Amino acid sequence: MNDCFITRDFVNDDASATITDYGAHVLDWTPNGQPKVLWHPRAITLSNGVAIRGGIPLVFPWFNSGFENGHVADKQPKHGFARISFWHFDEASSSNAVARYTLTSDDVPDDLLRTMGGGEKASFHATYEVRCGKEFQASFTVTNDGEHPFSYDEALHTYLHVGDVRRISVTGLEGATYFDTTIEGHPTRVQPDEPITFDGTMTDSIYQAASDGENAVVRVHDETLGRTIVVEKSGSHNTVVWNPGEQGAAGIGDIANDEWPGFVCVEAANNHGTPVTLAPGESHTLSQTLRVE
């Protein structure tokens, strides 16, 4: 595998995108005639072992520090190894509108594979395919190549560019149960029959929103930019909504003090007690589609 920081631009008649081989990390997607849809900070750090902020970090095989037996675990690195691994770019299967990446257990240190496999060394291959056009689709597929089952968390940790997070509303999650992770113990709440709004304090909520249910499609209504971003998912039990707010952003070294109002994260996920479990030979696909209305 080439451990150089390679960044690739994809340009076609409908849109443009930028993706790095490091983390198979999507930095930008911009449909023609629109402001960019994905957000990243003005300064991006490219350093081996350091996760890139913004765009779409690929979270696998645990979310944050993991969640086991009803409690937050203590796994490292944060959000797993996928986003700090150098992925293989499949040039033969890619084009100016499609990017295909692969990662296997051969690319991962044994200690992390045992953490992933609950003590047994997990064996897997993963494929990440991104389609860039009038719509944007990211599909992440994991296959168990070993002799033992394993479970994992995953998320497409999508940073959406907004004019001002304090002037947006998020709809589609009305009535859904969620964990409020801004509070110790992560108490369970129910979203009222009204949009999610943001007041400058931290929002960090994990909604129980299965992709075959009524909460599978989320809309981000942006008053400042005069548009709505639609987020549609499949293969997902949860939707994460996050913005650090002014105080939370002050503790994040790679976000400048004036940058936190420019994004909201809406993420298709399987996490916080709803992992994916694969028997030997089984596969699972998590996907998320973005479009602008």
Coordinates of all heavy atoms in Angstrom, one line a residue, residues 60-61 81 87 100-106 108 113 116 121-128 139-152 154 276-286:
F60 N -15.3 3.2 11.7 CA -15.3 1.8 11.7 C -14.1 1.3 12.4 O -13.0 1.9 12.1 CB -15.4 1.3 10.2 CG -15.2 -0.2 10.1 CD1 -16.2 -1.1 10.3 CD2 -13.9 -0.7 9.7 CE1 -16.0 -2.5 10.1 CE2 -13.7 -2.1 9.6 CZ -14.8 -3.0 9.8
P61 N -14.1 0.3 13.2 CA -15.2 -0.6 13.6 C -15.8 -0.2 15.0 O -16.6 -1.1 15.5 CB -14.5 -2.0 13.6 CG -13.2 -1.7 14.1 CD -12.8 -0.3 13.6
F81 N -10.2 2.5 13.3 CA -8.9 2.6 12.5 C -9.2 3.0 11.1 O -8.3 3.4 10.3 CB -8.1 1.3 12.6 CG -8.9 0.0 12.3 CD1 -9.3 -0.3 11.0 CD2 -9.2 -0.9 13.3 CE1 -10.0 -1.4 10.7 CE2 -9.9 -2.0 13.0 CZ -10.3 -2.3 11.7
W87 N -6.2 3.6 2.4 CA -7.0 2.7 1.6 C -6.4 2.5 0.2 O -5.7 3.3 -0.3 CB -8.4 3.2 1.5 CG -9.2 3.1 2.8 CD1 -8.9 3.7 4.0 CD2 -10.4 2.4 3.0 NE1 -9.9 3.4 4.9 CE2 -10.8 2.6 4.4 CE3 -11.2 1.6 2.2 CZ2 -12.0 2.0 4.9 CZ3 -12.4 1.0 2.8 CH2 -12.7 1.2 4.1
R100 N -13.8 4.0 -6.0 CA -14.0 2.7 -5.3 C -12.7 2.5 -4.5 O -11.6 2.5 -5.1 CB -14.3 1.6 -6.2 CG -14.6 0.3 -5.5 CD -15.0 -0.8 -6.5 NE -15.5 -2.0 -5.9 CZ -14.7 -3.0 -5.6 NH1 -13.4 -2.9 -5.7 NH2 -15.2 -4.1 -5.0
Y101 N -12.8 2.2 -3.2 CA -11.7 1.9 -2.3 C -11.9 0.6 -1.6 O -13.0 0.2 -1.4 CB -11.6 3.0 -1.3 CG -11.0 4.3 -1.8 CD1 -11.8 5.3 -2.3 CD2 -9.6 4.6 -1.7 CE1 -11.3 6.5 -2.7 CE2 -9.1 5.8 -2.2 CZ -9.9 6.7 -2.7 OH -9.4 7.9 -3.1
T102 N -10.8 0.0 -1.2 CA -10.9 -1.3 -0.5 C -9.9 -1.2 0.7 O -8.9 -0.5 0.7 CB -10.5 -2.5 -1.3 OG1 -9.2 -2.4 -1.9 CG2 -11.5 -2.6 -2.5
L103 N -10.2 -2.0 1.7 CA -9.4 -2.1 2.9 C -9.6 -3.6 3.4 O -10.8 -4.0 3.5 CB -9.7 -1.1 4.0 CG -8.8 -1.1 5.2 CD1 -7.5 -0.4 4.9 CD2 -9.5 -0.4 6.4
T104 N -8.6 -4.3 3.8 CA -8.7 -5.6 4.4 C -8.0 -5.7 5.7 O -7.2 -4.9 6.1 CB -8.2 -6.7 3.4 OG1 -6.7 -6.7 3.5 CG2 -8.6 -6.4 2.0
S105 N -8.3 -6.8 6.4 CA -7.6 -7.1 7.7 C -6.1 -7.2 7.5 O -5.4 -7.0 8.5 CB -8.2 -8.3 8.3 OG -8.4 -9.4 7.4
D106 N -5.6 -7.5 6.3 CA -4.2 -7.5 6.1 C -3.6 -6.1 6.3 O -2.3 -6.0 6.5 CB -3.8 -8.1 4.7 CG -4.2 -9.5 4.6 OD1 -4.3 -10.2 5.6 OD2 -4.3 -10.0 3.5
V108 N -4.4 -4.0 8.7 CA -4.6 -3.5 10.0 C -3.8 -4.3 11.1 O -3.7 -5.5 11.0 CB -6.1 -3.7 10.4 CG1 -6.5 -3.2 11.8 CG2 -7.0 -3.0 9.3
L113 N -7.3 -5.8 15.3 CA -8.2 -6.8 14.8 C -8.7 -7.7 16.0 O -9.9 -8.1 16.0 CB -7.4 -7.7 13.8 CG -7.0 -7.1 12.5 CD1 -6.2 -8.1 11.7 CD2 -8.2 -6.6 11.7
M116 N -11.4 -5.6 17.7 CA -12.5 -5.6 16.8 C -13.3 -7.0 17.0 O -14.5 -7.0 17.0 CB -12.1 -5.4 15.4 CG -13.3 -5.6 14.4 SD -12.6 -5.4 12.7 CE -14.1 -5.8 11.7
K121 N -9.0 -12.7 16.5 CA -8.5 -11.9 15.4 C -9.5 -11.8 14.3 O -9.7 -12.8 13.6 CB -7.1 -12.4 14.9 CG -6.5 -11.6 13.9 CD -5.1 -12.2 13.5 CE -4.5 -11.4 12.3 NZ -3.2 -12.0 11.9
A122 N -10.1 -10.7 14.1 CA -11.1 -10.6 13.0 C -10.5 -10.6 11.6 O -9.4 -10.1 11.4 CB -11.9 -9.3 13.2
S123 N -11.2 -11.2 10.7 CA -10.7 -11.2 9.3 C -11.8 -10.6 8.4 O -13.0 -11.1 8.5 CB -10.4 -12.6 8.9 OG -9.9 -12.7 7.5
F124 N -11.5 -9.6 7.6 CA -12.6 -9.0 6.9 C -12.0 -8.3 5.6 O -10.8 -8.1 5.4 CB -13.3 -7.8 7.7 CG -12.4 -6.6 7.9 CD1 -12.5 -5.6 7.0 CD2 -11.5 -6.5 8.9 CE1 -11.6 -4.4 7.1 CE2 -10.7 -5.4 9.1 CZ -10.7 -4.4 8.2
H125 N -12.9 -8.0 4.7 CA -12.6 -7.0 3.6 C -13.7 -6.1 3.5 O -14.9 -6.4 3.7 CB -12.3 -7.7 2.3 CG -13.4 -8.3 1.6 ND1 -13.8 -9.6 1.7 CD2 -14.3 -7.8 0.7 CE1 -14.8 -9.9 1.0 NE2 -15.2 -8.8 0.3
A126 N -13.3 -4.8 3.3 CA -14.3 -3.7 3.2 C -14.2 -3.0 1.8 O -13.1 -2.8 1.3 CB -14.1 -2.7 4.3
T127 N -15.3 -2.6 1.3 CA -15.4 -1.8 0.1 C -16.1 -0.5 0.3 O -17.2 -0.6 0.9 CB -16.1 -2.6 -1.0 OG1 -15.4 -3.9 -1.3 CG2 -16.1 -1.8 -2.3
Y128 N -15.6 0.6 -0.1 CA -16.2 1.9 0.0 C -16.4 2.5 -1.4 O -15.4 2.7 -2.1 CB -15.4 2.8 0.9 CG -16.0 4.1 1.3 CD1 -17.4 4.1 1.7 CD2 -15.3 5.2 1.3 CE1 -18.0 5.3 2.1 CE2 -15.9 6.4 1.7 CZ -17.2 6.5 2.1 OH -17.8 7.7 2.5
S139 N -21.4 4.2 -0.2 CA -21.8 2.9 0.3 C -20.6 2.2 0.8 O -19.6 2.0 0.2 CB -22.4 2.1 -0.9 OG -23.6 2.7 -1.4
F140 N -20.8 1.7 2.1 CA -19.7 1.0 2.8 C -20.1 -0.4 3.1 O -21.1 -0.7 3.8 CB -19.4 1.8 4.1 CG -18.4 1.1 5.0 CD1 -17.1 0.9 4.5 CD2 -18.7 0.8 6.3 CE1 -16.2 0.3 5.3 CE2 -17.7 0.3 7.1 CZ -16.5 0.0 6.6
T141 N -19.4 -1.4 2.5 CA -19.7 -2.8 2.7 C -18.6 -3.5 3.4 O -17.4 -3.4 3.0 CB -20.0 -3.5 1.3 OG1 -21.0 -2.8 0.6 CG2 -20.3 -4.9 1.4
V142 N -19.0 -4.3 4.4 CA -18.0 -5.1 5.1 C -18.4 -6.6 5.0 O -19.6 -7.0 5.1 CB -18.0 -4.7 6.6 CG1 -17.0 -5.6 7.4 CG2 -17.6 -3.3 6.8
T143 N -17.4 -7.5 4.7 CA -17.6 -8.9 4.6 C -16.7 -9.6 5.6 O -15.5 -9.3 5.8 CB -17.3 -9.4 3.2 OG1 -18.2 -8.8 2.3 CG2 -17.5 -10.9 3.1
N144 N -17.3 -10.6 6.4 CA -16.6 -11.4 7.3 C -15.9 -12.5 6.6 O -16.5 -13.4 6.1 CB -17.5 -11.9 8.4 CG -16.8 -12.7 9.5 OD1 -15.6 -13.0 9.4 ND2 -17.5 -13.0 10.6
D145 N -14.5 -12.5 6.5 CA -13.8 -13.5 5.8 C -13.2 -14.6 6.8 O -12.5 -15.5 6.3 CB -12.6 -12.9 5.1 CG -13.0 -11.9 4.0 OD1 -14.0 -12.2 3.4 OD2 -12.3 -10.9 3.8
G146 N -13.5 -14.5 8.0 CA -12.9 -15.4 9.0 C -13.8 -16.5 9.4 O -14.9 -16.8 8.8
E147 N -13.4 -17.2 10.5 CA -14.2 -18.4 11.0 C -15.0 -18.1 12.2 O -15.7 -18.9 12.7 CB -13.2 -19.5 11.3 CG -12.4 -20.0 10.1 CD -11.3 -21.1 10.5 OE1 -11.2 -21.3 11.7 OE2 -10.7 -21.6 9.6
H148 N -14.9 -16.8 12.7 CA -15.7 -16.4 13.9 C -16.5 -15.2 13.6 O -16.2 -14.4 12.8 CB -14.7 -16.1 15.0 CG -13.7 -17.1 15.3 ND1 -14.0 -18.2 16.1 CD2 -12.4 -17.3 15.0 CE1 -12.9 -19.0 16.2 NE2 -12.0 -18.5 15.5
P149 N -17.7 -15.1 14.2 CA -18.5 -13.9 14.0 C -17.9 -12.7 14.7 O -17.1 -12.9 15.6 CB -19.9 -14.3 14.7 CG -19.5 -15.3 15.7 CD -18.4 -16.1 15.1
F150 N -18.2 -11.6 14.2 CA -17.7 -10.3 14.9 C -18.8 -9.3 14.8 O -19.6 -9.3 13.9 CB -16.3 -9.8 14.5 CG -16.3 -9.5 13.0 CD1 -16.8 -8.3 12.5 CD2 -15.6 -10.3 12.1 CE1 -16.7 -8.0 11.2 CE2 -15.5 -10.0 10.8 CZ -16.0 -8.8 10.3
S151 N -18.7 -8.3 15.7 CA -19.7 -7.2 15.7 C -18.9 -5.9 15.6 O -17.7 -5.8 16.0 CB -20.5 -7.1 17.0 OG -21.3 -8.3 17.1
Y152 N -19.5 -4.9 15.0 CA -18.8 -3.6 14.8 C -19.8 -2.5 14.7 O -21.0 -2.6 14.4 CB -18.0 -3.6 13.6 CG -18.7 -3.8 12.3 CD1 -19.2 -2.7 11.5 CD2 -18.9 -5.1 11.7 CE1 -19.9 -2.9 10.3 CE2 -19.6 -5.2 10.5 CZ -20.1 -4.1 9.8 OH -20.8 -4.3 8.7
E154 N -20.4 1.5 13.1 CA -20.0 2.2 11.8 C -20.8 3.5 11.7 O -21.9 3.6 12.3 CB -20.3 1.3 10.6 CG -21.7 0.9 10.5 CD -22.0 0.0 9.3 OE1 -21.1 -0.2 8.4 OE2 -23.1 -0.6 9.2
V276 N -23.6 -3.9 14.1 CA -23.8 -4.9 13.0 C -23.0 -6.2 13.5 O -21.9 -6.1 13.9 CB -23.2 -4.5 11.7 CG1 -23.3 -5.6 10.6 CG2 -23.9 -3.2 11.2
T277 N -23.7 -7.4 13.4 CA -23.0 -8.6 13.7 C -23.0 -9.5 12.4 O -24.1 -9.7 11.8 CB -23.7 -9.4 14.8 OG1 -23.7 -8.6 16.0 CG2 -23.1 -10.7 15.1
L278 N -21.8 -9.9 12.0 CA -21.6 -10.7 10.8 C -21.2 -12.1 11.2 O -20.1 -12.3 11.8 CB -20.6 -10.1 9.9 CG -21.0 -8.7 9.3 CD1 -19.9 -8.3 8.3 CD2 -22.3 -8.8 8.5
A279 N -21.9 -13.1 10.7 CA -21.4 -14.5 10.8 C -20.4 -14.7 9.7 O -20.3 -13.9 8.8 CB -22.6 -15.5 10.6
P280 N -19.6 -15.8 9.8 CA -18.6 -16.0 8.7 C -19.3 -16.0 7.3 O -20.3 -16.7 7.1 CB -18.0 -17.4 9.1 CG -18.2 -17.5 10.6 CD -19.4 -16.7 10.9
G281 N -18.7 -15.3 6.4 CA -19.2 -15.2 5.0 C -20.3 -14.1 4.8 O -20.6 -13.8 3.7
E282 N -20.8 -13.6 5.9 CA -21.9 -12.6 5.7 C -21.3 -11.2 5.4 O -20.2 -10.9 5.7 CB -22.7 -12.5 7.0 CG -23.7 -13.6 7.2 CD -24.6 -13.4 8.3 OE1 -24.3 -12.6 9.3 OE2 -25.7 -14.0 8.3
S283 N -22.1 -10.3 4.8 CA -21.8 -9.0 4.4 C -22.9 -8.0 4.9 O -24.1 -8.4 5.1 CB -21.6 -8.8 2.9 OG -20.6 -9.6 2.4
H284 N -22.5 -6.8 5.1 CA -23.5 -5.7 5.4 C -23.1 -4.5 4.7 O -21.9 -4.1 4.6 CB -23.6 -5.5 6.9 CG -24.5 -4.3 7.2 ND1 -25.8 -4.4 7.3 CD2 -24.2 -3.0 7.5 CE1 -26.3 -3.2 7.6 NE2 -25.3 -2.4 7.8
T285 N -24.1 -3.7 4.2 CA -23.8 -2.4 3.5 C -24.6 -1.3 4.2 O -25.8 -1.4 4.4 CB -24.3 -2.5 2.0 OG1 -23.5 -3.5 1.3 CG2 -24.0 -1.1 1.3
L286 N -23.8 -0.3 4.5 CA -24.4 1.0 5.0 C -24.2 2.0 3.9 O -23.1 2.2 3.4 CB -23.6 1.5 6.3 CG -23.9 2.9 6.8 CD1 -25.3 2.9 7.4 CD2 -22.9 3.3 7.8

